[in-house]
Amino acid sequence: LASGVLVLARGHSPTVAPYLVPRLPNGWADLVFIDADHSYDGVLADIRAYVPLVRPGGILAGHDYTTDVHPGVRRAVDDHFGGRAEQGPGSIWWIRCE
């Protein structure tokens, strides 16, 4: 990370995201990686909670995008980002935030 700061968080995204803001350099994250609730609604909640924390040009990413086991992940990511998310490596999805 450019700032040299790594913040690990575990919990329900709408609760955890506001807790992270004062711990992030300048209130922004360079990268947020989501691997939590794999339901459609859960992934949407994660995305909505963390998009505002990622600096412009930073990356929001997650796991299980290409697995048949968790179809809600791909559907939520594609619905929220209009199919603009990139794939890879493996089952990871990512998008550069504006």
Side-chain angles (χ1 to χ4, degrees):
L1 301 176
S3 66
V5 175
L6 175 65
V7 179
L8 297 176
R10 184 175 180 173
H12 189 242
S13 295
T15 303
V16 171
Y19 163 84
L20 295 175
V21 172
R23 288 154 180 80
L24 299 172
N26 302 317
W28 295 99
D30 296 317
L31 168 70
V32 171
F33 190 89
I34 299 167
D35 189 15
D37 182 341
H38 290 72
S39 70
Y40 177 84
D41 291 334
V43 174
L44 277 180
D46 291 340
I47 291 170
R48 291 177 180 148
Y50 291 117
V51 162
L53 272 63
V54 180
R55 70 167 172 79
I59 294 175
L60 180 67
H63 193 238
D64 295 318
Y65 184 69
T66 58
T67 64
D68 293 335
V69 177
H70 304 293
V73 173
R74 183 180 200 108
R75 194 166 59 97
V77 170
D78 288 349
D79 284 357
H80 186 82
F81 295 112
R84 295 181 296 121
E86 302 286 338
Q87 180 185 332
S91 65
I92 292 173
W93 63 269
W94 65 274
I95 190 158
R96 192 167 301 279
C97 294
E98 300 172 354

